[in-house]
Each structure stands twice: as structure tokens, then as C-alpha cells.
Amino acid sequence: MPSAATDQFGVADELIRTERLLGAHNYKPIDVVLSRGEGVYLWDVDGNRYLDCLSAYSAVNQGHCHPKILETMIEQAGKLTLTSRAFRNDQLAPFYEEIAELTGSHKVLPMNSGAEAVESAIKAVRKWGYEVKGVPEDKAEIIVCSNNFHGRTLGVVGFSTDPVARGGFGPFAPGFKVAEFGNIDAFKSTITENTVAFLVEPIQGEAGVIIPPDGYMKEVREVCTARNITLILDEIQTGLGRTGRLLAEEHEGIVADVTLVGKALSGGFYPVSAVLSNSDVLGVLQPGQHGSTFGGNPLACAIARTAMRVLVEEGMIENSAEQGAYLKDGLENIRANAVREVRGRGLMIAVELDPSAGGARRYCEALKQKGILCKDTHEHSIRIAPPLVIDHDQTDWCLEQFDSVLTALD
Ligand SMILES: *Cc1c(COP(=O)(O)O)cnc(C)c1O
């Protein structure tokens, strides 16, 4: 159990001081300095153990330092790490085969970070708009949602509706229109003959685990098909088992034209993302028109192959559904005045607190003292997303800590 007392001249304080001094202050982390991870657990430099309820924003769905992914990484790193795409490597084709088979996709574009996958999809879908749909040059429009989160590049923050994410970074690229998330009429009335794509998260993660109304995504799918609009689902956070299904689109009974995956695609070992395409969107890219030095490198491909394999072989997706339902149910049964709503799917859960509760940050600080690492989102929500390998007893233990903190801070 971590102690409440902080050692004034401890290792952690020294490291935090150096970070403050030398680093850009673009994050405000919880002051815990971690040095080891295994499964659902993390240890700080003072040896305190924590249960990770963030999973690096769902990048470590497979648990920290998964032994099989680690083995693959070490083995591949000793053989070949990077060739660039000027040459071929022996891991790329099997990676394509396995991700295509797993997700039912026809074409794959490997990249590194999630934001790069988003940017790549935007490039491809615009080109598709001009070459296939017949949109006049430079007139392509992409519809995005209010409160979206798709990454931090200039292209992406340019269509964010969050003043903190975009403020001071303009001018931004044109060609994006915002429609209210979850509102089918808003989406329909934003469409023009130049709309090439609708880019949306099936569940908005950074916005605070916002699930759209029943039937919304299905209607979106129908409208996109009818109007020849490419439906791009950003499953970088919701994908790969997080919501209790391989892809969150399965809850809606729909199939996207383009699916973006990242984060857990490497189990947290390495930045690996991909654009998956079911239509001819990726087919428009010709040699020289897009690329990435590291995209599709053999180390990334080998790691991703094992990360996908263990997700399926070790039953993590089913476990996410099972433990997620149990955790959500348990959270709903906590009798604390501060809890306004518990929402989520699988192990992607948020507890929304009443605005009078004084903000989620102090709850996260209190949970840290109890040995749970959580992240506050949008001031009043606590996001809970443990690795998908969490077992029943660990879930129970989490519930006890949540109960104790939520009732104690009431
Ligand atoms: C994290 C995230 C991204 C960006 O991924 P990076 O690897 O941080 O660039 C994009 N979309 C969604 C939905 C995400 O959660």
C-alpha cells in the first residue's frame, strides 16, 4: 500500500524536479514515478504497487510487459529492425495477412502513431473523393463530430472543437465540417455533394466515454452508403478488445469502410498503427504519394502480430466483456452522492461525478493513495480502463477501493 507521506528528498521528487525543469509542460501527470509493470500492475520507484486503471489510454490492453510480446520484440530486435519501405521485409506480408483476417479488411496501410493513421486516412479519402467520387479539385469535405479526439497533429487539431487543443495553433487547413456527435439530423444536414467522408469515434474516449444513442451509428452507416460517403471509424482507443468486442462497430452491427487502429496494436511496446480499408479508398495511393520511414518496419510488424495473437488466444476480448460488465455493475451499486452516472462498454468505463463533487482530479489522487491509478477526464469524469487481463479478484479489489474513495470523499 503506498504511503501518504512523501519523502522530501526521495528519488521520485528528484526525477519530478528534473522533468519540471527540462521538459515542455504539455502534460500535468499524477505525481507517481513508475519504473516497472507486469500485467495489471505498476510499481513506482519507491516500490509501491498500483493497479493500472488507464492502460496508457488503452495501449496496453494486453497487460504490461506481456511475456510473449516481449519475447517477440527481443527476438526480432536481434534479427532485423528497420529496412525502410525502399526494400521489403519478411514480417510485413504476414502482418497484413493476420490483421486483414482478424478484422475482415482488404487493404492495410501501416503507420506508427494514431494521429498518423488519422492523417493518412484523410489523405487517402480526399484522393478517393477526387478520383473515384468525382469531387472537384480541392473541394473535398470531411465531416467530423463535436468533442472529437483524433490526435495532436496540426491537421487533426484543426478540426478539434476543444479550445485547449486548438487555441493558439492556427491557421488550420480547410475542408472539415463539424456535426454534433450522436445527432443523426445534424450529420445529414452537414452533408453536401462534396462530402467525401465522415470521421467518427464509435465511442468518444477523450470526451469522457460518450456512447452515441442506440441506432445512431446504424443510421450513419445507411446514410453514408446512400450518399457515397466513406465511413471512417477511429477505433484507435475503442478497438482491439477494449469494449468487449474486437471492434466497437460490432456493438452497432455495422462495418466501416475505413477503420483506424493503433494503441493496443503493439500491446504498448512500440508505436504501431494502421489504416484498414474495406473499400477502394487505399487503392488510390500510388508509389511516392504517401509513406513513413518507420511504417511497416519488421520490428513493428512482428510485435503487432504477437500483440494481436495473444489478444485472441488468451481470451482477452471475452474477458473485457465479462469483467467490464461486472465492474460497471459494481460501480453502479456504490452508494455515493457524488456519482452522477456510470457509463461504458466492456472495460471502457467512466464514472461521471456531480459538478459539486469538486472535480475528478482529487478522486484520482485519493485512488492513487489506495493503490489505483486512474485519470480524470474533462474535469468531472473518472475514466476506468484496466488492462483486459484483469481477473475477477482484481476487479473485486478495485471495486472495494472505488467504494471506499467515493464514499469517503462524499
Ligand atoms: C489516442 C487516440 C488517437 C491518437 O493516437 P496517438 O498515438 O496519440 O497519435 C487518435 N484517435 C483516438 C480515438 C485516440 O484515442
Side-chain angles (χ1 to χ4, degrees):
M1 207 48 54
S3 81
T6 42
D7 177 4
Q8 239 194 322
F9 299 105
V11 183
D13 289 319
E14 199 53 47
L15 292 167
I16 291 169
R17 256 200 299 277
T18 306
E19 275 192 37
R20 285 223 178 94
L21 188 68
L22 297 176
H25 294 185
N26 55 326
Y27 279 92
K28 189 176 171 247
I30 299 229
D31 281 334
V32 56
V33 183
L34 302 164
S35 56
R36 190 160 73 85
E38 190 186 319
V40 297
Y41 293 115
L42 289 164
W43 285 264
D44 69 14
V45 289
D46 297 317
N48 299 310
R49 190 184 79 173
Y50 304 90
L51 199 150
D52 182 5
C53 276
L54 183 65
S55 307
Y57 298 93
S58 297
V60 285
N61 284 359
Q62 297 87 339
H64 290 279
C65 300
H66 191 288
K68 288 186 182 150
I69 311 176
L70 176 65
E71 193 186 316
T72 296
M73 184 171 195
I74 292 170
E75 198 189 313
Q76 185 62 41
K79 280 201 285 202
L80 184 66
T81 57
L82 183 62
T83 57
S84 85
R85 298 285 303 277
F87 311 119
R88 300 182 191 274
N89 75 72
D90 70 350
Q91 292 298 310
L92 187 60
F95 166 68
Y96 283 169
E97 255 173 357
E98 287 162 22
I99 197 169
E101 155 132 39
L102 182 68
T103 61
S105 308
H106 303 154
K107 286 250 176 247
V108 186
L109 172 67
M111 297 299 286
N112 312 286
S113 68
E116 278 180 301
V118 176
E119 293 270 353
S120 303
I122 291 168
K123 285 175 73 176
V125 85
R126 280 180 172 174
K127 204 157 190 295
W128 171 86
Y130 304 128
E131 292 178 5
V132 180
K133 186 167 178 173
V135 171
E137 198 182 321
D138 287 346
K139 293 285 180 237
E141 290 170 4
I142 294 170
I143 302 177
V144 298
C145 283
S146 52
N147 301 317
N148 69 72
F149 183 85
H150 299 287
R152 299 294 195 165
T153 56
L154 272 179
V156 169
V157 298
F159 57 78
S160 169
T161 60
D162 177 359
V164 178
R166 52 182 282 124
F169 299 124
F172 299 117
F176 299 95
K177 286 187 163 181
V178 178
E180 189 195 347
F181 180 69
N183 179 338
I184 191 69
D185 294 325
F187 170 59
K188 282 191 202 159
S189 63
T190 312
I191 295 170
T192 73
E193 68 274 22
N194 295 332
T195 304
V196 295
F198 180 42
L199 169 62
V200 62
E201 301 156 82
I203 297 173
Q204 289 189 323
E206 295 313 292
V209 188
I210 310 296
I211 301 170
D214 276 346
Y216 169 72
M217 290 306 308
K218 219 176 187 114
E219 268 195 273
V220 160
R221 176 66 277 182
E222 282 162 17
V223 173
C224 285
T225 303
R227 303 290 302 266
N228 198 20
I229 294 166
T230 303
L231 176 58
I232 308 173
L233 287 187
D234 181 344
E235 296 242 25
I236 291 166
Q237 188 164 150
T238 54
L240 303 171
R242 176 48 59 189
T243 70
R245 306 295 288 267
L246 177 76
L247 297 171
E249 67 174 18
E250 294 169 37
H251 294 287
E252 311 285 348
I254 62 162
V255 177
D257 299 307
V258 173
T259 301
L260 309 177
V261 288
K263 293 201 165 112
L265 188 51
S266 72
F269 278 81
Y270 201 84
V272 188
S273 66
V275 180
L276 308 171
S277 158
N278 267 337
S279 62
D280 41 8
V281 172
L282 286 173
V284 300
L285 296 176
Q286 300 301 317
Q289 294 172 347
H290 189 61
S292 162
T293 303
F294 278 82
N297 75 68
L299 184 58
C301 290
I303 289 171
R305 292 177 64 198
T306 303
M308 290 188 286
R309 185 163 62 78
V310 298
L311 200 66
V312 174
E313 272 182 10
E314 297 178 15
M316 293 180 198
I317 303 170
E318 295 80 2
N319 190 59
S320 170
E322 198 178 313
Q323 297 309 319
Y326 181 67
L327 182 57
K328 184 164 170 259
D329 195 53
L331 289 165
E332 279 166 346
N333 284 323
I334 293 175
R335 293 279 148 259
N337 298 325
V339 179
R340 211 187 208 186
E341 186 186 32
V342 178
R343 48 175 186 263
R345 265 189 189 142
L347 283 169
M348 186 175 187
I349 298 175
V351 174
E352 189 172 319
L353 302 170
D354 200 82
S356 67
R361 178 79 181 202
R362 70 185 190 104
Y363 285 81
C364 293
E365 299 283 358
L367 283 161
K368 185 189 105 178
Q369 297 305 325
K370 292 272 182 195
I372 291 197
L373 293 181
C374 267
K375 182 74 176 77
D376 47 307
T377 317
H378 280 253
E379 208 155 336
H380 300 299
S381 296
I382 309 170
R383 189 203 319 225
I384 303 166
L388 311 187
V389 296
I390 193 168
D391 68 24
H392 190 81
D393 290 347
Q394 292 162 340
T395 308
D396 258 337
W397 183 82
C398 283
L399 281 168
E400 282 167 34
Q401 313 315 310
F402 281 112
D403 191 308
S404 122
V405 165
L406 284 162
T407 48
L409 293 192
D410 249 352

PDB file of all heavy atoms in Angstrom, residues 202-223:
ATOM      1  N   PRO A 202     -16.512   5.500 -32.578  1.00  0.00           N
ATOM      2  CA  PRO A 202     -17.761   4.785 -32.248  1.00  0.00           C
ATOM      3  C   PRO A 202     -18.204   5.061 -30.810  1.00  0.00           C
ATOM      4  O   PRO A 202     -19.405   5.108 -30.520  1.00  0.00           O
ATOM      5  CB  PRO A 202     -17.436   3.322 -32.465  1.00  0.00           C
ATOM      6  CG  PRO A 202     -15.971   3.217 -32.688  1.00  0.00           C
ATOM      7  CD  PRO A 202     -15.448   4.576 -33.023  1.00  0.00           C
ATOM      8  N   ILE A 203     -17.242   5.223 -29.909  1.00  0.00           N
ATOM      9  CA  ILE A 203     -17.498   5.739 -28.557  1.00  0.00           C
ATOM     10  C   ILE A 203     -16.436   6.810 -28.350  1.00  0.00           C
ATOM     11  O   ILE A 203     -15.258   6.553 -28.561  1.00  0.00           O
ATOM     12  CB  ILE A 203     -17.349   4.644 -27.474  1.00  0.00           C
ATOM     13  CG1 ILE A 203     -18.386   3.545 -27.669  1.00  0.00           C
ATOM     14  CG2 ILE A 203     -17.449   5.249 -26.066  1.00  0.00           C
ATOM     15  CD1 ILE A 203     -18.201   2.342 -26.748  1.00  0.00           C
ATOM     16  N   GLN A 204     -16.849   8.011 -27.967  1.00  0.00           N
ATOM     17  CA  GLN A 204     -15.853   9.072 -27.785  1.00  0.00           C
ATOM     18  C   GLN A 204     -15.084   8.843 -26.492  1.00  0.00           C
ATOM     19  O   GLN A 204     -15.653   8.907 -25.398  1.00  0.00           O
ATOM     20  CB  GLN A 204     -16.534  10.443 -27.786  1.00  0.00           C
ATOM     21  CG  GLN A 204     -17.045  10.843 -29.163  1.00  0.00           C
ATOM     22  CD  GLN A 204     -17.517  12.285 -29.216  1.00  0.00           C
ATOM     23  OE1 GLN A 204     -18.108  12.798 -28.259  1.00  0.00           O
ATOM     24  NE2 GLN A 204     -17.278  12.944 -30.337  1.00  0.00           N
ATOM     25  N   GLY A 205     -13.788   8.587 -26.635  1.00  0.00           N
ATOM     26  CA  GLY A 205     -12.957   8.261 -25.482  1.00  0.00           C
ATOM     27  C   GLY A 205     -12.540   9.471 -24.675  1.00  0.00           C
ATOM     28  O   GLY A 205     -12.939   9.630 -23.517  1.00  0.00           O
ATOM     29  N   GLU A 206     -11.764  10.347 -25.311  1.00  0.00           N
ATOM     30  CA  GLU A 206     -11.230  11.502 -24.582  1.00  0.00           C
ATOM     31  C   GLU A 206     -12.345  12.442 -24.118  1.00  0.00           C
ATOM     32  O   GLU A 206     -12.192  13.154 -23.137  1.00  0.00           O
ATOM     33  CB  GLU A 206     -10.220  12.266 -25.441  1.00  0.00           C
ATOM     34  CG  GLU A 206      -8.968  11.484 -25.772  1.00  0.00           C
ATOM     35  CD  GLU A 206      -8.375  10.794 -24.568  1.00  0.00           C
ATOM     36  OE1 GLU A 206      -7.882  11.488 -23.680  1.00  0.00           O
ATOM     37  OE2 GLU A 206      -8.413   9.546 -24.508  1.00  0.00           O
ATOM     38  N   ALA A 207     -13.466  12.438 -24.812  1.00  0.00           N
ATOM     39  CA  ALA A 207     -14.590  13.288 -24.412  1.00  0.00           C
ATOM     40  C   ALA A 207     -15.225  12.785 -23.115  1.00  0.00           C
ATOM     41  O   ALA A 207     -16.071  13.467 -22.534  1.00  0.00           O
ATOM     42  CB  ALA A 207     -15.629  13.348 -25.525  1.00  0.00           C
ATOM     43  N   GLY A 208     -14.832  11.564 -22.686  1.00  0.00           N
ATOM     44  CA  GLY A 208     -15.360  11.046 -21.423  1.00  0.00           C
ATOM     45  C   GLY A 208     -16.207   9.797 -21.580  1.00  0.00           C
ATOM     46  O   GLY A 208     -17.176   9.616 -20.844  1.00  0.00           O
ATOM     47  N   VAL A 209     -15.831   8.922 -22.508  1.00  0.00           N
ATOM     48  CA  VAL A 209     -16.573   7.672 -22.762  1.00  0.00           C
ATOM     49  C   VAL A 209     -18.043   7.989 -23.068  1.00  0.00           C
ATOM     50  O   VAL A 209     -18.953   7.657 -22.311  1.00  0.00           O
ATOM     51  CB  VAL A 209     -16.437   6.659 -21.601  1.00  0.00           C
ATOM     52  CG1 VAL A 209     -17.050   5.308 -21.979  1.00  0.00           C
ATOM     53  CG2 VAL A 209     -14.971   6.473 -21.206  1.00  0.00           C
ATOM     54  N   ILE A 210     -18.252   8.672 -24.168  1.00  0.00           N
ATOM     55  CA  ILE A 210     -19.601   9.055 -24.584  1.00  0.00           C
ATOM     56  C   ILE A 210     -20.104   8.065 -25.639  1.00  0.00           C
ATOM     57  O   ILE A 210     -19.512   7.932 -26.715  1.00  0.00           O
ATOM     58  CB  ILE A 210     -19.634  10.492 -25.163  1.00  0.00           C
ATOM     59  CG1 ILE A 210     -18.927  11.489 -24.227  1.00  0.00           C
ATOM     60  CG2 ILE A 210     -21.076  10.913 -25.452  1.00  0.00           C
ATOM     61  CD1 ILE A 210     -19.565  11.687 -22.873  1.00  0.00           C
ATOM     62  N   ILE A 211     -21.173   7.365 -25.281  1.00  0.00           N
ATOM     63  CA  ILE A 211     -21.753   6.358 -26.176  1.00  0.00           C
ATOM     64  C   ILE A 211     -22.902   7.021 -26.939  1.00  0.00           C
ATOM     65  O   ILE A 211     -23.765   7.647 -26.322  1.00  0.00           O
ATOM     66  CB  ILE A 211     -22.268   5.152 -25.347  1.00  0.00           C
ATOM     67  CG1 ILE A 211     -21.096   4.546 -24.547  1.00  0.00           C
ATOM     68  CG2 ILE A 211     -22.921   4.105 -26.249  1.00  0.00           C
ATOM     69  CD1 ILE A 211     -21.518   3.523 -23.517  1.00  0.00           C
ATOM     70  N   PRO A 212     -22.914   6.905 -28.261  1.00  0.00           N
ATOM     71  CA  PRO A 212     -24.000   7.576 -29.003  1.00  0.00           C
ATOM     72  C   PRO A 212     -25.338   6.864 -28.764  1.00  0.00           C
ATOM     73  O   PRO A 212     -25.354   5.707 -28.355  1.00  0.00           O
ATOM     74  CB  PRO A 212     -23.564   7.435 -30.464  1.00  0.00           C
ATOM     75  CG  PRO A 212     -22.675   6.233 -30.489  1.00  0.00           C
ATOM     76  CD  PRO A 212     -21.996   6.174 -29.147  1.00  0.00           C
ATOM     77  N   PRO A 213     -26.449   7.564 -29.034  1.00  0.00           N
ATOM     78  CA  PRO A 213     -27.767   6.943 -28.842  1.00  0.00           C
ATOM     79  C   PRO A 213     -27.907   5.680 -29.695  1.00  0.00           C
ATOM     80  O   PRO A 213     -27.312   5.578 -30.768  1.00  0.00           O
ATOM     81  CB  PRO A 213     -28.750   8.018 -29.323  1.00  0.00           C
ATOM     82  CG  PRO A 213     -27.980   9.279 -29.387  1.00  0.00           C
ATOM     83  CD  PRO A 213     -26.541   8.939 -29.525  1.00  0.00           C
ATOM     84  N   ASP A 214     -28.702   4.729 -29.204  1.00  0.00           N
ATOM     85  CA  ASP A 214     -28.963   3.497 -29.944  1.00  0.00           C
ATOM     86  C   ASP A 214     -29.435   3.821 -31.352  1.00  0.00           C
ATOM     87  O   ASP A 214     -30.288   4.682 -31.534  1.00  0.00           O
ATOM     88  CB  ASP A 214     -30.078   2.688 -29.253  1.00  0.00           C
ATOM     89  CG  ASP A 214     -29.490   1.832 -28.137  1.00  0.00           C
ATOM     90  OD1 ASP A 214     -28.253   1.675 -28.098  1.00  0.00           O
ATOM     91  OD2 ASP A 214     -30.285   1.343 -27.308  1.00  0.00           O
ATOM     92  N   GLY A 215     -28.877   3.133 -32.312  1.00  0.00           N
ATOM     93  CA  GLY A 215     -29.333   3.295 -33.689  1.00  0.00           C
ATOM     94  C   GLY A 215     -28.622   4.390 -34.466  1.00  0.00           C
ATOM     95  O   GLY A 215     -28.709   4.428 -35.692  1.00  0.00           O
ATOM     96  N   TYR A 216     -27.918   5.274 -33.758  1.00  0.00           N
ATOM     97  CA  TYR A 216     -27.239   6.389 -34.439  1.00  0.00           C
ATOM     98  C   TYR A 216     -26.231   5.878 -35.473  1.00  0.00           C
ATOM     99  O   TYR A 216     -26.261   6.272 -36.644  1.00  0.00           O
ATOM    100  CB  TYR A 216     -26.541   7.268 -33.398  1.00  0.00           C
ATOM    101  CG  TYR A 216     -25.585   8.314 -33.954  1.00  0.00           C
ATOM    102  CD1 TYR A 216     -26.058   9.443 -34.611  1.00  0.00           C
ATOM    103  CD2 TYR A 216     -24.206   8.171 -33.793  1.00  0.00           C
ATOM    104  CE1 TYR A 216     -25.173  10.410 -35.105  1.00  0.00           C
ATOM    105  CE2 TYR A 216     -23.319   9.131 -34.284  1.00  0.00           C
ATOM    106  CZ  TYR A 216     -23.811  10.242 -34.938  1.00  0.00           C
ATOM    107  OH  TYR A 216     -22.931  11.185 -35.412  1.00  0.00           O
ATOM    108  N   MET A 217     -25.336   4.979 -35.025  1.00  0.00           N
ATOM    109  CA  MET A 217     -24.290   4.507 -35.925  1.00  0.00           C
ATOM    110  C   MET A 217     -24.883   3.726 -37.100  1.00  0.00           C
ATOM    111  O   MET A 217     -24.368   3.785 -38.213  1.00  0.00           O
ATOM    112  CB  MET A 217     -23.277   3.628 -35.170  1.00  0.00           C
ATOM    113  CG  MET A 217     -22.379   4.353 -34.192  1.00  0.00           C
ATOM    114  SD  MET A 217     -21.434   5.757 -34.855  1.00  0.00           S
ATOM    115  CE  MET A 217     -20.666   5.029 -36.250  1.00  0.00           C
ATOM    116  N   LYS A 218     -25.964   3.019 -36.839  1.00  0.00           N
ATOM    117  CA  LYS A 218     -26.607   2.258 -37.915  1.00  0.00           C
ATOM    118  C   LYS A 218     -27.158   3.207 -38.975  1.00  0.00           C
ATOM    119  O   LYS A 218     -27.019   2.976 -40.175  1.00  0.00           O
ATOM    120  CB  LYS A 218     -27.724   1.386 -37.325  1.00  0.00           C
ATOM    121  CG  LYS A 218     -27.777   0.051 -37.987  1.00  0.00           C
ATOM    122  CD  LYS A 218     -28.790  -0.885 -37.394  1.00  0.00           C
ATOM    123  CE  LYS A 218     -28.578  -2.231 -38.074  1.00  0.00           C
ATOM    124  NZ  LYS A 218     -28.113  -3.264 -37.193  1.00  0.00           N
ATOM    125  N   GLU A 219     -27.787   4.266 -38.512  1.00  0.00           N
ATOM    126  CA  GLU A 219     -28.319   5.259 -39.450  1.00  0.00           C
ATOM    127  C   GLU A 219     -27.196   5.964 -40.205  1.00  0.00           C
ATOM    128  O   GLU A 219     -27.301   6.228 -41.401  1.00  0.00           O
ATOM    129  CB  GLU A 219     -29.179   6.289 -38.706  1.00  0.00           C
ATOM    130  CG  GLU A 219     -30.648   5.904 -38.659  1.00  0.00           C
ATOM    131  CD  GLU A 219     -31.525   7.076 -38.246  1.00  0.00           C
ATOM    132  OE1 GLU A 219     -31.697   7.267 -37.017  1.00  0.00           O
ATOM    133  OE2 GLU A 219     -32.013   7.797 -39.139  1.00  0.00           O
ATOM    134  N   VAL A 220     -26.121   6.261 -39.471  1.00  0.00           N
ATOM    135  CA  VAL A 220     -24.948   6.862 -40.103  1.00  0.00           C
ATOM    136  C   VAL A 220     -24.462   5.962 -41.237  1.00  0.00           C
ATOM    137  O   VAL A 220     -24.188   6.420 -42.354  1.00  0.00           O
ATOM    138  CB  VAL A 220     -23.821   7.092 -39.054  1.00  0.00           C
ATOM    139  CG1 VAL A 220     -22.473   7.240 -39.723  1.00  0.00           C
ATOM    140  CG2 VAL A 220     -24.132   8.308 -38.189  1.00  0.00           C
ATOM    141  N   ARG A 221     -24.389   4.669 -40.935  1.00  0.00           N
ATOM    142  CA  ARG A 221     -23.930   3.696 -41.940  1.00  0.00           C
ATOM    143  C   ARG A 221     -24.832   3.746 -43.186  1.00  0.00           C
ATOM    144  O   ARG A 221     -24.356   3.774 -44.320  1.00  0.00           O
ATOM    145  CB  ARG A 221     -23.910   2.305 -41.308  1.00  0.00           C
ATOM    146  CG  ARG A 221     -23.554   1.116 -42.201  1.00  0.00           C
ATOM    147  CD  ARG A 221     -22.138   1.126 -42.717  1.00  0.00           C
ATOM    148  NE  ARG A 221     -21.978   1.951 -43.909  1.00  0.00           N
ATOM    149  CZ  ARG A 221     -20.840   2.095 -44.576  1.00  0.00           C
ATOM    150  NH1 ARG A 221     -19.731   1.513 -44.152  1.00  0.00           N
ATOM    151  NH2 ARG A 221     -20.776   2.856 -45.640  1.00  0.00           N
ATOM    152  N   GLU A 222     -26.141   3.779 -42.949  1.00  0.00           N
ATOM    153  CA  GLU A 222     -27.083   3.787 -44.075  1.00  0.00           C
ATOM    154  C   GLU A 222     -26.954   5.059 -44.913  1.00  0.00           C
ATOM    155  O   GLU A 222     -26.934   5.003 -46.141  1.00  0.00           O
ATOM    156  CB  GLU A 222     -28.525   3.644 -43.558  1.00  0.00           C
ATOM    157  CG  GLU A 222     -28.848   2.204 -43.190  1.00  0.00           C
ATOM    158  CD  GLU A 222     -30.066   2.079 -42.287  1.00  0.00           C
ATOM    159  OE1 GLU A 222     -30.860   3.047 -42.189  1.00  0.00           O
ATOM    160  OE2 GLU A 222     -30.210   1.001 -41.671  1.00  0.00           O
ATOM    161  N   VAL A 223     -26.837   6.195 -44.222  1.00  0.00           N
ATOM    162  CA  VAL A 223     -26.722   7.472 -44.936  1.00  0.00           C
ATOM    163  C   VAL A 223     -25.415   7.500 -45.741  1.00  0.00           C
ATOM    164  O   VAL A 223     -25.402   7.930 -46.904  1.00  0.00           O
ATOM    165  CB  VAL A 223     -26.790   8.662 -43.951  1.00  0.00           C
ATOM    166  CG1 VAL A 223     -26.493   9.976 -44.662  1.00  0.00           C
ATOM    167  CG2 VAL A 223     -28.152   8.716 -43.271  1.00  0.00           C
TER     168      VAL A 223
END
